[in-house]
Every structure is written in structure tokens, then in C-alpha cells.
Amino acid sequence: MTEQKRPTACLLIIGNEVLSGRTKDKNLGFLAEQLTDIGVRMAEARVVPDEEDVIVAALNEVRAKYDYVFTTGGIGPTHDDITAACVAKAFGKKLIRHPDAVALFEKKYKPEDLNEARLKMTEVAEGAVLVDNPVSQAPGFHIENVYVFAGIPRVMHAMFEGIKHELAGGAQVLSRTIASHAKEGDLASGLGDLQGDFPDVEIGSYPFFSREGQTGVRIVVRTPDEGELETVTDKVCDLIRACGGDPVEETVLGAGN
Amino acid sequence: MTEQKRPTACLLIIGNEVLSGRTKDKNLGFLAEQLTDIGVRMAEARVVPDEEDVIVAALNEVRAKYDYVFTTGGIGPTHDDITAACVAKAFGKKLIRHPDAVALFEKKYKPEDLNEARLKMTEVAEGAVLVDNPVSQAPGFHIENVYVFAGIPRVMHAMFEGIKHELAGGAQVLSRTIASHAKEGDLASGLGDLQGDFPDVEIGSYPFFSREGQTGVRIVVRTPDEGELETVTDKVCDLIRACGGDPVEETVLGAGN
């Protein structure tokens, strides 16, 4: 399967606020699109609470399993910000104040404002490399295959943009989306056969229906192989026509996801 | 800890489309709020791809670990809809066509339209109870502590509303949110002390900053104990004032999350 040749990634969203519904996560969708764009396959995402044992266990599980792990949340100055300590513990490393982060903070804050809480934001697992935060300065960090980002979307997005070039991507996946008012239940059998004929192409089927009662389905064809993309897209369009539908291509080559 | 007395839940979001970024999940935030509202604690959420071994392993892990498991996605008529089969496999049950679902479909479809693909949507793990779908009819199902819902938000939300009364909730968590332009780094030490004094109250700190450069922090106090809620909220307000801020309460008792 083509899927398996691409590097894999996992997003670990850390925070009680996401699990309680107070905060709506906006990083999963962003990261999924970005990784798809560079040929890295997000294989899992997990939301975990601010509990040390849970975070450390999840980190150790997923960093062994996937090529890249990204964490969001829990790197601020307060008592509920425990991500850096958990990463250090997961790697069996000491938690240290990174000298470059301390130097940055010494410029940013007056000496009387640079208290213990703010210095907590300079803490990283020993051996980690800082990840730049162009929005609010307090850095993230990177150790082995784990990248530690802030939870605030603007900051997380900026941090990711800063390290994106470091990631080794695989073949970029090309995709086509074909929409129609054909019925999914009519297309299903033909789509299943098509998937059987092209095992390396990912064929997804996503029904939609509007409040006005209009129903239809979007078929998404994904593969790094441009030739197979064309062939399967044509066959999907034929199938839709055979089921009385009028296929409409919504996206073009290279749209990524 | 008060937290531990509440029943726990896990959401399993099933679908390549969420991991590729094509579809932005809208069920996590909804379910988190709904569960918080009835005193069930969402302890984890996980997004997994349309791969049988991954789904079965995740199901067996989380259904043993949490009081409730909710799945979304993968219950349509096409080849990539494998959730029902995975649930059956996880429970070691046969996959059967539920007679009530078949009867429903026999009313909904003309005989010539009731093909194998559509009948796939009547499949459940043997012993399961159907979950009503008032939006588009194709039902979800429920077996032991696992609830299987559609992925389309309108349908998922309607399915959840239909079974919500079956869930045994715990003490409802009350919350207060106090916003201010005080700096998180100034509040952090006092907040940590306060958390130490009230270990059963969850005190969360969420900084914000606008594009205009205004910064501030929202402190969220959560507990089922109304007295402790008042006491801790007052102490948070005092702390904010001591740091030069002007506390503004944004939510009132019973806001849930």
C-alpha cells in the first residue's frame, strides 16, 4: 500500500479544556492539512487530560509508534502546564532551563518581572532544541521525534511553520473530489469494486444532505500516482453517470487533502 | 479527587478524512459540552483511520478503560464504512442485519433500490440495540458500554440527544470563568498556591492575546461544590486585583464547562 511508504505522525492534544468542551480545538484540522501537504500521513490524534501519568504513557506509546509526534498545549507558566515536565520524564531526561530561552526572557522582561512562573516557560527536556515562537516569544521545543507546541492556534500555527522544513515528507498525495446528487447506496457496490481494482488508491465516500432535503455524495480519490488518479477519477465519473448522477469535480490536482 | 467520582467517557473518531484534514471534526466539541452538562467526564478522545486492526484494538482498549465509549463515523454503505464490523469483532460477536433496521429500510426504499450496499447499513453487532436516526433514518447502535454514531454532525448530534437520558451522570460540575488583563506570569504563583489549598477544585488558566496586542488570561474554576466554587472564585478575583488587574466574571453558575 502506498499509504505505508509515507512517514507517519501523531498529534497529542493536551488539555482538560478541550475534553470539557470549553475550548474547541483548532490545531488538528490545521496540522492534518499541513502534513498532508508535505506527504506526511497523520495516523492518529489523541486528546488527553492534564495528568502526568496519562501524558507520559501516551507520549511513550506514540513516539515509539510513529515517525513524528506533535504535542499542543500545557507549556504556559501555571500549575496546570505540565507538558515540558512530562516530555522530560517520558525521555528519562532532566528538566532544565534552556539558556537561550532564559536569555530571551531576560531581554523581554524587567528583572523584577522575571519570576519563577515565567522562568517555568524556559524549561525543556535536556538536549532539546528550541522552537521559535514569533507571536508571543515563549518557545516550544523539539527532542528526537517529538515537537512540543503551544495550544493557542495562532502560536501553534506559527511554531509549525517554523519547523515545517525540518520534516521529511513522502510522496505528495494528489486528490480529486467529485460531487454529485447520486445516492451513496447506488454507488457503493461499484465503488467497492473500483477500490478492489486499485488497492493503492484511497477512495473515500462522504454523503451530504442539506436542510432543504437535497442529498448527494462526495467521492474523494487520493494517491501520489497522477496516472492512477486520472484513471480512477474517470471511472468514478462513469459510475456516477451510470447511477443517474451528474459528476462535478470540486478540486484539482495537488489540492492535497 | 472529585473528578474521579464522575463516570468517564472516550470518543473514538473514525475516519481517514479527519486525519487528512479534508473533514474538520465537529463532534468532539459537541459531545464534550453535552457530557460535561450531565456530569460525565470525557477522559480521552482519539482519531483513528479506517483500518480494521487499529479500530478493533482501540475499541478494546478504551471500552475496558472508560465507562462509556462513543464512536463517530464509518457506518454508511460503502467499502470504507467498517465501524459496525469492527465493533462486532471487538466484542467477539457476529455481524447481523438488525430486523428492525431491515423493516425500516423496507418501508423507506422500493424493493429494487434496497441493494446489498444499503442493507449494509442495517448491520450491527449481535445483541446490539438500535440508536434512532431522526435525520436520515439509517440507525446507529449500542452494545454494552459502546455507542456507535454517524459522523455527519447533524446526525451524530440527533443520535446523541436520543440516548442522552440513558447515560448515568455524576455530580454536575459548576464553573466560573474570570477574565482579566492581568498577566498569567504574575498570577501563576498565587494560582498554584490556591490549587494546593483546594485540591478538589480544578483551576485552569488560559491566556489570550489579540492581534491588537492586548493580552490577558481567563481563569476557569470548576467543581461540583457550590461553596468551594464561590470561595475559590473570590480568591481568584483578589489575586487578579493584587496583580493590578480588573476581574470580569464571564459565566455564571451551572454553565457546565
Side-chain angles (χ1 to χ4, degrees), chain B residues 78-125:
Chain B
T78 55
H79 61 278
D80 55 341
D81 290 306
I82 61 173
T83 301
C86 290
V87 172
K89 192 163 183 184
F91 278 94
K93 302 277 188 187
K94 279 198 288 186
L95 186 70
I96 60 149
R97 290 179 178 170
H98 194 291
D100 294 349
V102 174
L104 186 78
F105 275 38
E106 283 172 345
K107 268 201 225 169
K108 179 180 162 117
Y109 294 106
K110 284 181 265 182
E112 63 269 28
D113 288 338
L114 193 50
N115 57 21
E116 287 298 302
R118 291 202 168 96
L119 282 167
K120 186 168 178 283
M121 291 193 284
T122 69
E123 289 174 353
V124 302

mmCIF file of all heavy atoms in Angstrom, chain B residues 78-125:
data_model
loop_
_atom_site.group_PDB
_atom_site.id
_atom_site.type_symbol
_atom_site.label_atom_id
_atom_site.label_comp_id
_atom_site.label_asym_id
_atom_site.label_seq_id
_atom_site.Cartn_x
_atom_site.Cartn_y
_atom_site.Cartn_z
ATOM 1 N N THR B 78 -20.663 2.254 2.048
ATOM 2 C CA THR B 78 -19.538 1.992 1.132
ATOM 3 C C THR B 78 -18.421 1.151 1.767
ATOM 4 O O THR B 78 -18.413 0.896 2.966
ATOM 5 C CB THR B 78 -18.962 3.319 0.577
ATOM 6 O OG1 THR B 78 -18.604 4.163 1.662
ATOM 7 C CG2 THR B 78 -19.981 4.013 -0.312
ATOM 8 N N HIS B 79 -17.475 0.761 0.895
ATOM 9 C CA HIS B 79 -16.384 -0.141 1.301
ATOM 10 C C HIS B 79 -15.556 0.400 2.459
ATOM 11 O O HIS B 79 -14.926 -0.352 3.185
ATOM 12 C CB HIS B 79 -15.475 -0.384 0.097
ATOM 13 C CG HIS B 79 -14.858 0.891 -0.407
ATOM 14 N ND1 HIS B 79 -15.538 1.762 -1.248
ATOM 15 C CD2 HIS B 79 -13.674 1.492 -0.136
ATOM 16 C CE1 HIS B 79 -14.784 2.815 -1.498
ATOM 17 N NE2 HIS B 79 -13.647 2.681 -0.821
ATOM 18 N N ASP B 80 -15.503 1.745 2.595
ATOM 19 C CA ASP B 80 -14.684 2.323 3.667
ATOM 20 C C ASP B 80 -15.464 2.466 4.978
ATOM 21 O O ASP B 80 -14.938 2.991 5.953
ATOM 22 C CB ASP B 80 -14.067 3.665 3.233
ATOM 23 C CG ASP B 80 -15.110 4.684 2.757
ATOM 24 O OD1 ASP B 80 -16.236 4.264 2.418
ATOM 25 O OD2 ASP B 80 -14.793 5.879 2.738
ATOM 26 N N ASP B 81 -16.691 2.014 5.015
ATOM 27 C CA ASP B 81 -17.501 2.071 6.240
ATOM 28 C C ASP B 81 -17.403 0.739 6.975
ATOM 29 O O ASP B 81 -18.129 -0.205 6.666
ATOM 30 C CB ASP B 81 -18.962 2.378 5.884
ATOM 31 C CG ASP B 81 -19.122 3.806 5.378
ATOM 32 O OD1 ASP B 81 -18.682 4.728 6.100
ATOM 33 O OD2 ASP B 81 -19.650 3.994 4.280
ATOM 34 N N ILE B 82 -16.486 0.660 7.924
ATOM 35 C CA ILE B 82 -16.201 -0.645 8.543
ATOM 36 C C ILE B 82 -16.433 -0.641 10.054
ATOM 37 O O ILE B 82 -16.066 -1.583 10.746
ATOM 38 C CB ILE B 82 -14.755 -1.099 8.234
ATOM 39 C CG1 ILE B 82 -13.724 -0.105 8.792
ATOM 40 C CG2 ILE B 82 -14.557 -1.266 6.725
ATOM 41 C CD1 ILE B 82 -12.282 -0.599 8.661
ATOM 42 N N THR B 83 -17.062 0.417 10.575
ATOM 43 C CA THR B 83 -17.195 0.527 12.030
ATOM 44 C C THR B 83 -18.020 -0.609 12.632
ATOM 45 O O THR B 83 -17.602 -1.222 13.634
ATOM 46 C CB THR B 83 -17.797 1.891 12.423
ATOM 47 O OG1 THR B 83 -16.937 2.927 11.933
ATOM 48 C CG2 THR B 83 -17.931 2.019 13.927
ATOM 49 N N ALA B 84 -19.202 -0.911 12.047
ATOM 50 C CA ALA B 84 -20.060 -1.952 12.625
ATOM 51 C C ALA B 84 -19.317 -3.286 12.673
ATOM 52 O O ALA B 84 -19.340 -3.994 13.692
ATOM 53 C CB ALA B 84 -21.353 -2.083 11.826
ATOM 54 N N ALA B 85 -18.630 -3.627 11.586
ATOM 55 C CA ALA B 85 -17.876 -4.883 11.547
ATOM 56 C C ALA B 85 -16.775 -4.893 12.606
ATOM 57 O O ALA B 85 -16.520 -5.921 13.247
ATOM 58 C CB ALA B 85 -17.283 -5.098 10.152
ATOM 59 N N CYS B 86 -16.133 -3.749 12.805
ATOM 60 C CA CYS B 86 -15.052 -3.667 13.807
ATOM 61 C C CYS B 86 -15.605 -3.816 15.228
ATOM 62 O O CYS B 86 -14.983 -4.458 16.080
ATOM 63 C CB CYS B 86 -14.312 -2.344 13.681
ATOM 64 S SG CYS B 86 -13.318 -2.225 12.177
ATOM 65 N N VAL B 87 -16.766 -3.212 15.485
ATOM 66 C CA VAL B 87 -17.363 -3.325 16.823
ATOM 67 C C VAL B 87 -17.730 -4.787 17.087
ATOM 68 O O VAL B 87 -17.453 -5.333 18.166
ATOM 69 C CB VAL B 87 -18.595 -2.400 16.966
ATOM 70 C CG1 VAL B 87 -19.330 -2.670 18.281
ATOM 71 C CG2 VAL B 87 -18.174 -0.930 16.890
ATOM 72 N N ALA B 88 -18.338 -5.427 16.092
ATOM 73 C CA ALA B 88 -18.684 -6.844 16.248
ATOM 74 C C ALA B 88 -17.431 -7.659 16.559
ATOM 75 O O ALA B 88 -17.408 -8.472 17.483
ATOM 76 C CB ALA B 88 -19.369 -7.354 14.982
ATOM 77 N N LYS B 89 -16.378 -7.408 15.809
ATOM 78 C CA LYS B 89 -15.136 -8.152 16.008
ATOM 79 C C LYS B 89 -14.555 -7.897 17.404
ATOM 80 O O LYS B 89 -14.098 -8.818 18.082
ATOM 81 C CB LYS B 89 -14.128 -7.766 14.923
ATOM 82 C CG LYS B 89 -12.926 -8.680 14.877
ATOM 83 C CD LYS B 89 -12.155 -8.561 13.574
ATOM 84 C CE LYS B 89 -11.007 -9.559 13.576
ATOM 85 N NZ LYS B 89 -10.158 -9.443 12.389
ATOM 86 N N ALA B 90 -14.575 -6.627 17.826
ATOM 87 C CA ALA B 90 -14.037 -6.287 19.140
ATOM 88 C C ALA B 90 -14.782 -7.024 20.251
ATOM 89 O O ALA B 90 -14.185 -7.454 21.238
ATOM 90 C CB ALA B 90 -14.101 -4.776 19.363
ATOM 91 N N PHE B 91 -16.094 -7.194 20.082
ATOM 92 C CA PHE B 91 -16.899 -7.867 21.108
ATOM 93 C C PHE B 91 -16.958 -9.385 20.883
ATOM 94 O O PHE B 91 -17.610 -10.091 21.660
ATOM 95 C CB PHE B 91 -18.325 -7.302 21.126
ATOM 96 C CG PHE B 91 -18.463 -6.011 21.900
ATOM 97 C CD1 PHE B 91 -18.387 -4.783 21.267
ATOM 98 C CD2 PHE B 91 -18.653 -6.037 23.280
ATOM 99 C CE1 PHE B 91 -18.508 -3.593 21.978
ATOM 100 C CE2 PHE B 91 -18.780 -4.857 23.995
ATOM 101 C CZ PHE B 91 -18.704 -3.625 23.345
ATOM 102 N N GLY B 92 -16.330 -9.878 19.814
ATOM 103 C CA GLY B 92 -16.420 -11.307 19.512
ATOM 104 C C GLY B 92 -17.846 -11.742 19.183
ATOM 105 O O GLY B 92 -18.252 -12.873 19.473
ATOM 106 N N LYS B 93 -18.602 -10.829 18.565
ATOM 107 C CA LYS B 93 -19.997 -11.118 18.199
ATOM 108 C C LYS B 93 -20.098 -11.258 16.685
ATOM 109 O O LYS B 93 -19.259 -10.742 15.944
ATOM 110 C CB LYS B 93 -20.906 -9.959 18.635
ATOM 111 C CG LYS B 93 -20.871 -9.646 20.113
ATOM 112 C CD LYS B 93 -21.784 -10.552 20.885
ATOM 113 C CE LYS B 93 -21.861 -10.076 22.349
ATOM 114 N NZ LYS B 93 -22.602 -11.037 23.176
ATOM 115 N N LYS B 94 -21.187 -11.902 16.250
ATOM 116 C CA LYS B 94 -21.464 -11.957 14.822
ATOM 117 C C LYS B 94 -21.983 -10.602 14.359
ATOM 118 O O LYS B 94 -22.603 -9.872 15.127
ATOM 119 C CB LYS B 94 -22.535 -13.022 14.526
ATOM 120 C CG LYS B 94 -21.994 -14.426 14.470
ATOM 121 C CD LYS B 94 -22.966 -15.358 13.754
ATOM 122 C CE LYS B 94 -24.188 -15.633 14.632
ATOM 123 N NZ LYS B 94 -25.099 -16.634 14.043
ATOM 124 N N LEU B 95 -21.716 -10.286 13.095
ATOM 125 C CA LEU B 95 -22.302 -9.090 12.481
ATOM 126 C C LEU B 95 -23.614 -9.528 11.841
ATOM 127 O O LEU B 95 -23.625 -10.395 10.971
ATOM 128 C CB LEU B 95 -21.341 -8.544 11.422
ATOM 129 C CG LEU B 95 -21.726 -7.211 10.774
ATOM 130 C CD1 LEU B 95 -21.594 -6.066 11.772
ATOM 131 C CD2 LEU B 95 -20.830 -6.922 9.557
ATOM 132 N N ILE B 96 -24.709 -8.964 12.314
ATOM 133 C CA ILE B 96 -26.018 -9.384 11.777
ATOM 134 C C ILE B 96 -26.792 -8.169 11.231
ATOM 135 O O ILE B 96 -26.484 -7.033 11.562
ATOM 136 C CB ILE B 96 -26.890 -10.056 12.868
ATOM 137 C CG1 ILE B 96 -27.151 -9.058 14.033
ATOM 138 C CG2 ILE B 96 -26.243 -11.330 13.390
ATOM 139 C CD1 ILE B 96 -28.467 -9.269 14.715
ATOM 140 N N ARG B 97 -27.783 -8.472 10.387
ATOM 141 C CA ARG B 97 -28.695 -7.415 9.947
ATOM 142 C C ARG B 97 -29.801 -7.302 10.984
ATOM 143 O O ARG B 97 -30.547 -8.261 11.207
ATOM 144 C CB ARG B 97 -29.278 -7.753 8.581
ATOM 145 C CG ARG B 97 -28.219 -7.662 7.501
ATOM 146 C CD ARG B 97 -28.747 -8.009 6.128
ATOM 147 N NE ARG B 97 -27.658 -7.837 5.168
ATOM 148 C CZ ARG B 97 -27.706 -8.224 3.895
ATOM 149 N NH1 ARG B 97 -28.791 -8.799 3.421
ATOM 150 N NH2 ARG B 97 -26.675 -8.030 3.108
ATOM 151 N N HIS B 98 -29.904 -6.154 11.623
ATOM 152 C CA HIS B 98 -30.903 -5.998 12.681
ATOM 153 C C HIS B 98 -32.299 -5.977 12.055
ATOM 154 O O HIS B 98 -32.564 -5.143 11.175
ATOM 155 C CB HIS B 98 -30.656 -4.707 13.456
ATOM 156 C CG HIS B 98 -31.404 -4.644 14.747
ATOM 157 N ND1 HIS B 98 -32.773 -4.534 14.799
ATOM 158 C CD2 HIS B 98 -30.985 -4.704 16.033
ATOM 159 C CE1 HIS B 98 -33.162 -4.511 16.069
ATOM 160 N NE2 HIS B 98 -32.085 -4.626 16.837
ATOM 161 N N PRO B 99 -33.209 -6.881 12.508
ATOM 162 C CA PRO B 99 -34.527 -6.975 11.860
ATOM 163 C C PRO B 99 -35.308 -5.653 11.860
ATOM 164 O O PRO B 99 -35.992 -5.346 10.877
ATOM 165 C CB PRO B 99 -35.257 -8.053 12.673
ATOM 166 C CG PRO B 99 -34.398 -8.356 13.851
ATOM 167 C CD PRO B 99 -33.023 -7.887 13.555
ATOM 168 N N ASP B 100 -35.190 -4.855 12.933
ATOM 169 C CA ASP B 100 -35.922 -3.587 12.965
ATOM 170 C C ASP B 100 -35.362 -2.599 11.931
ATOM 171 O O ASP B 100 -36.109 -1.818 11.337
ATOM 172 C CB ASP B 100 -35.849 -2.938 14.349
ATOM 173 C CG ASP B 100 -36.582 -3.775 15.391
ATOM 174 O OD1 ASP B 100 -37.298 -4.726 14.992
ATOM 175 O OD2 ASP B 100 -36.421 -3.490 16.590
ATOM 176 N N ALA B 101 -34.061 -2.649 11.743
ATOM 177 C CA ALA B 101 -33.456 -1.760 10.742
ATOM 178 C C ALA B 101 -33.849 -2.209 9.337
ATOM 179 O O ALA B 101 -34.154 -1.380 8.473
ATOM 180 C CB ALA B 101 -31.933 -1.761 10.899
ATOM 181 N N VAL B 102 -33.872 -3.513 9.119
ATOM 182 C CA VAL B 102 -34.284 -4.041 7.809
ATOM 183 C C VAL B 102 -35.735 -3.627 7.535
ATOM 184 O O VAL B 102 -36.060 -3.158 6.436
ATOM 185 C CB VAL B 102 -34.115 -5.574 7.749
ATOM 186 C CG1 VAL B 102 -34.695 -6.127 6.443
ATOM 187 C CG2 VAL B 102 -32.637 -5.965 7.887
ATOM 188 N N ALA B 103 -36.592 -3.769 8.543
ATOM 189 C CA ALA B 103 -38.003 -3.393 8.381
ATOM 190 C C ALA B 103 -38.135 -1.904 8.046
ATOM 191 O O ALA B 103 -38.913 -1.511 7.167
ATOM 192 C CB ALA B 103 -38.778 -3.721 9.659
ATOM 193 N N LEU B 104 -37.333 -1.085 8.723
ATOM 194 C CA LEU B 104 -37.318 0.362 8.467
ATOM 195 C C LEU B 104 -36.924 0.645 7.018
ATOM 196 O O LEU B 104 -37.541 1.459 6.327
ATOM 197 C CB LEU B 104 -36.304 1.004 9.423
ATOM 198 C CG LEU B 104 -36.177 2.516 9.470
ATOM 199 C CD1 LEU B 104 -37.319 3.101 10.285
ATOM 200 C CD2 LEU B 104 -34.840 2.917 10.115
ATOM 201 N N PHE B 105 -35.893 -0.046 6.551
ATOM 202 C CA PHE B 105 -35.394 0.165 5.186
ATOM 203 C C PHE B 105 -36.390 -0.358 4.149
ATOM 204 O O PHE B 105 -36.476 0.185 3.051
ATOM 205 C CB PHE B 105 -34.032 -0.513 5.014
ATOM 206 C CG PHE B 105 -32.883 0.342 5.475
ATOM 207 C CD1 PHE B 105 -33.006 1.148 6.603
ATOM 208 C CD2 PHE B 105 -31.681 0.360 4.779
ATOM 209 C CE1 PHE B 105 -31.959 1.940 7.027
ATOM 210 C CE2 PHE B 105 -30.630 1.153 5.193
ATOM 211 C CZ PHE B 105 -30.762 1.940 6.316
ATOM 212 N N GLU B 106 -37.115 -1.415 4.508
ATOM 213 C CA GLU B 106 -38.106 -1.954 3.557
ATOM 214 C C GLU B 106 -39.253 -0.966 3.348
ATOM 215 O O GLU B 106 -39.885 -0.951 2.295
ATOM 216 C CB GLU B 106 -38.623 -3.322 4.041
ATOM 217 C CG GLU B 106 -37.591 -4.412 3.764
ATOM 218 C CD GLU B 106 -37.937 -5.765 4.390
ATOM 219 O OE1 GLU B 106 -38.823 -5.809 5.271
ATOM 220 O OE2 GLU B 106 -37.289 -6.758 4.019
ATOM 221 N N LYS B 107 -39.502 -0.150 4.374
ATOM 222 C CA LYS B 107 -40.502 0.903 4.209
ATOM 223 C C LYS B 107 -39.929 2.077 3.421
ATOM 224 O O LYS B 107 -40.602 2.697 2.610
ATOM 225 C CB LYS B 107 -40.937 1.431 5.592
ATOM 226 C CG LYS B 107 -42.134 0.721 6.170
ATOM 227 C CD LYS B 107 -42.789 1.611 7.233
ATOM 228 C CE LYS B 107 -43.117 0.772 8.443
ATOM 229 N NZ LYS B 107 -43.510 1.574 9.596
ATOM 230 N N LYS B 108 -38.668 2.384 3.689
ATOM 231 C CA LYS B 108 -38.035 3.579 3.115
ATOM 232 C C LYS B 108 -37.727 3.404 1.623
ATOM 233 O O LYS B 108 -37.849 4.348 0.846
ATOM 234 C CB LYS B 108 -36.753 3.876 3.900
ATOM 235 C CG LYS B 108 -35.939 5.088 3.431
ATOM 236 C CD LYS B 108 -34.677 5.283 4.299
ATOM 237 C CE LYS B 108 -33.648 6.170 3.607
ATOM 238 N NZ LYS B 108 -33.340 7.411 4.288
ATOM 239 N N TYR B 109 -37.257 2.217 1.231
ATOM 240 C CA TYR B 109 -36.807 2.005 -0.140
ATOM 241 C C TYR B 109 -37.759 1.100 -0.917
ATOM 242 O O TYR B 109 -38.334 0.159 -0.362
ATOM 243 C CB TYR B 109 -35.411 1.372 -0.154
ATOM 244 C CG TYR B 109 -34.340 2.272 0.400
ATOM 245 C CD1 TYR B 109 -33.789 2.026 1.658
ATOM 246 C CD2 TYR B 109 -33.880 3.373 -0.327
ATOM 247 C CE1 TYR B 109 -32.802 2.847 2.181
ATOM 248 C CE2 TYR B 109 -32.895 4.204 0.195
ATOM 249 C CZ TYR B 109 -32.360 3.938 1.443
ATOM 250 O OH TYR B 109 -31.393 4.759 1.960
ATOM 251 N N LYS B 110 -37.828 1.358 -2.218
ATOM 252 C CA LYS B 110 -38.516 0.431 -3.098
ATOM 253 C C LYS B 110 -37.677 -0.853 -3.160
ATOM 254 O O LYS B 110 -36.441 -0.782 -3.047
ATOM 255 C CB LYS B 110 -38.625 1.022 -4.515
ATOM 256 C CG LYS B 110 -39.701 2.094 -4.636
ATOM 257 C CD LYS B 110 -39.790 2.636 -6.052
ATOM 258 C CE LYS B 110 -38.951 3.896 -6.184
ATOM 259 N NZ LYS B 110 -38.985 4.539 -7.488
ATOM 260 N N PRO B 111 -38.312 -2.013 -3.359
ATOM 261 C CA PRO B 111 -37.557 -3.270 -3.361
ATOM 262 C C PRO B 111 -36.333 -3.233 -4.284
ATOM 263 O O PRO B 111 -35.259 -3.723 -3.917
ATOM 264 C CB PRO B 111 -38.577 -4.302 -3.839
ATOM 265 C CG PRO B 111 -39.910 -3.728 -3.483
ATOM 266 C CD PRO B 111 -39.768 -2.239 -3.576
ATOM 267 N N GLU B 112 -36.471 -2.614 -5.470
ATOM 268 C CA GLU B 112 -35.352 -2.614 -6.420
ATOM 269 C C GLU B 112 -34.199 -1.709 -5.959
ATOM 270 O O GLU B 112 -33.071 -1.825 -6.452
ATOM 271 C CB GLU B 112 -35.831 -2.232 -7.836
ATOM 272 C CG GLU B 112 -36.403 -0.820 -7.978
ATOM 273 C CD GLU B 112 -37.927 -0.766 -7.749
ATOM 274 O OE1 GLU B 112 -38.459 -1.621 -6.990
ATOM 275 O OE2 GLU B 112 -38.566 0.145 -8.311
ATOM 276 N N ASP B 113 -34.464 -0.796 -5.026
ATOM 277 C CA ASP B 113 -33.406 0.080 -4.518
ATOM 278 C C ASP B 113 -32.742 -0.468 -3.241
ATOM 279 O O ASP B 113 -31.716 0.048 -2.800
ATOM 280 C CB ASP B 113 -33.972 1.474 -4.216
ATOM 281 C CG ASP B 113 -34.291 2.243 -5.490
ATOM 282 O OD1 ASP B 113 -33.712 1.898 -6.546
ATOM 283 O OD2 ASP B 113 -35.127 3.166 -5.430
ATOM 284 N N LEU B 114 -33.370 -1.457 -2.639
ATOM 285 C CA LEU B 114 -32.816 -1.989 -1.381
ATOM 286 C C LEU B 114 -31.722 -3.020 -1.699
ATOM 287 O O LEU B 114 -31.886 -4.224 -1.525
ATOM 288 C CB LEU B 114 -33.935 -2.612 -0.533
ATOM 289 C CG LEU B 114 -33.565 -2.937 0.930
ATOM 290 C CD1 LEU B 114 -32.902 -1.755 1.619
ATOM 291 C CD2 LEU B 114 -34.792 -3.360 1.713
ATOM 292 N N ASN B 115 -30.586 -2.483 -2.150
ATOM 293 C CA ASN B 115 -29.476 -3.353 -2.580
ATOM 294 C C ASN B 115 -28.584 -3.756 -1.397
ATOM 295 O O ASN B 115 -28.808 -3.332 -0.256
ATOM 296 C CB ASN B 115 -28.685 -2.652 -3.691
ATOM 297 C CG ASN B 115 -28.151 -1.287 -3.233
ATOM 298 O OD1 ASN B 115 -28.019 -1.032 -2.033
ATOM 299 N ND2 ASN B 115 -27.872 -0.420 -4.187
ATOM 300 N N GLU B 116 -27.568 -4.549 -1.707
ATOM 301 C CA GLU B 116 -26.661 -5.042 -0.655
ATOM 302 C C GLU B 116 -25.976 -3.891 0.095
ATOM 303 O O GLU B 116 -25.774 -3.960 1.305
ATOM 304 C CB GLU B 116 -25.584 -5.942 -1.278
ATOM 305 C CG GLU B 116 -26.103 -7.301 -1.711
ATOM 306 C CD GLU B 116 -26.631 -8.117 -0.534
ATOM 307 O OE1 GLU B 116 -25.873 -8.362 0.420
ATOM 308 O OE2 GLU B 116 -27.830 -8.488 -0.566
ATOM 309 N N ALA B 117 -25.604 -2.843 -0.648
ATOM 310 C CA ALA B 117 -24.909 -1.713 -0.020
ATOM 311 C C ALA B 117 -25.806 -1.043 1.025
ATOM 312 O O ALA B 117 -25.367 -0.748 2.142
ATOM 313 C CB ALA B 117 -24.483 -0.700 -1.079
ATOM 314 N N ARG B 118 -27.066 -0.843 0.660
ATOM 315 C CA ARG B 118 -27.976 -0.199 1.626
ATOM 316 C C ARG B 118 -28.244 -1.129 2.805
ATOM 317 O O ARG B 118 -28.334 -0.680 3.955
ATOM 318 C CB ARG B 118 -29.276 0.210 0.929
ATOM 319 C CG ARG B 118 -29.043 1.355 -0.055
ATOM 320 C CD ARG B 118 -30.294 2.136 -0.380
ATOM 321 N NE ARG B 118 -29.918 3.370 -1.080
ATOM 322 C CZ ARG B 118 -29.916 3.509 -2.413
ATOM 323 N NH1 ARG B 118 -30.292 2.509 -3.193
ATOM 324 N NH2 ARG B 118 -29.529 4.654 -2.949
ATOM 325 N N LEU B 119 -28.356 -2.426 2.519
ATOM 326 C CA LEU B 119 -28.604 -3.365 3.622
ATOM 327 C C LEU B 119 -27.414 -3.420 4.594
ATOM 328 O O LEU B 119 -27.576 -3.766 5.767
ATOM 329 C CB LEU B 119 -28.922 -4.759 3.061
ATOM 330 C CG LEU B 119 -30.365 -4.881 2.531
ATOM 331 C CD1 LEU B 119 -30.534 -6.153 1.698
ATOM 332 C CD2 LEU B 119 -31.381 -4.876 3.687
ATOM 333 N N LYS B 120 -26.221 -3.062 4.086
ATOM 334 C CA LYS B 120 -25.036 -2.982 4.958
ATOM 335 C C LYS B 120 -25.299 -2.016 6.125
ATOM 336 O O LYS B 120 -24.786 -2.201 7.230
ATOM 337 C CB LYS B 120 -23.867 -2.492 4.099
ATOM 338 C CG LYS B 120 -22.511 -2.468 4.751
ATOM 339 C CD LYS B 120 -21.440 -2.242 3.666
ATOM 340 C CE LYS B 120 -20.043 -2.159 4.228
ATOM 341 N NZ LYS B 120 -19.722 -0.897 4.865
ATOM 342 N N MET B 121 -26.117 -1.007 5.873
ATOM 343 C CA MET B 121 -26.400 -0.023 6.930
ATOM 344 C C MET B 121 -27.352 -0.549 8.000
ATOM 345 O O MET B 121 -27.623 0.139 8.981
ATOM 346 C CB MET B 121 -26.952 1.263 6.313
ATOM 347 C CG MET B 121 -25.895 2.002 5.504
ATOM 348 S SD MET B 121 -26.409 3.688 5.079
ATOM 349 C CE MET B 121 -27.562 3.366 3.760
ATOM 350 N N THR B 122 -27.852 -1.777 7.827
ATOM 351 C CA THR B 122 -28.687 -2.391 8.868
ATOM 352 C C THR B 122 -27.846 -3.305 9.763
ATOM 353 O O THR B 122 -28.375 -3.921 10.684
ATOM 354 C CB THR B 122 -29.824 -3.234 8.252
ATOM 355 O OG1 THR B 122 -29.259 -4.403 7.605
ATOM 356 C CG2 THR B 122 -30.622 -2.451 7.229
ATOM 357 N N GLU B 123 -26.548 -3.394 9.453
ATOM 358 C CA GLU B 123 -25.692 -4.337 10.184
ATOM 359 C C GLU B 123 -25.252 -3.805 11.548
ATOM 360 O O GLU B 123 -24.817 -2.657 11.666
ATOM 361 C CB GLU B 123 -24.462 -4.678 9.332
ATOM 362 C CG GLU B 123 -24.820 -5.552 8.131
ATOM 363 C CD GLU B 123 -23.652 -5.795 7.181
ATOM 364 O OE1 GLU B 123 -22.582 -5.174 7.384
ATOM 365 O OE2 GLU B 123 -23.820 -6.596 6.243
ATOM 366 N N VAL B 124 -25.362 -4.666 12.529
ATOM 367 C CA VAL B 124 -24.923 -4.331 13.898
ATOM 368 C C VAL B 124 -24.256 -5.566 14.505
ATOM 369 O O VAL B 124 -24.390 -6.674 13.984
ATOM 370 C CB VAL B 124 -26.128 -3.940 14.795
ATOM 371 C CG1 VAL B 124 -26.896 -2.765 14.207
ATOM 372 C CG2 VAL B 124 -27.071 -5.128 15.004
ATOM 373 N N ALA B 125 -23.556 -5.354 15.608
ATOM 374 C CA ALA B 125 -23.033 -6.492 16.366
ATOM 375 C C ALA B 125 -24.232 -7.215 16.999
ATOM 376 O O ALA B 125 -25.157 -6.558 17.499
ATOM 377 C CB ALA B 125 -22.074 -5.999 17.440
#
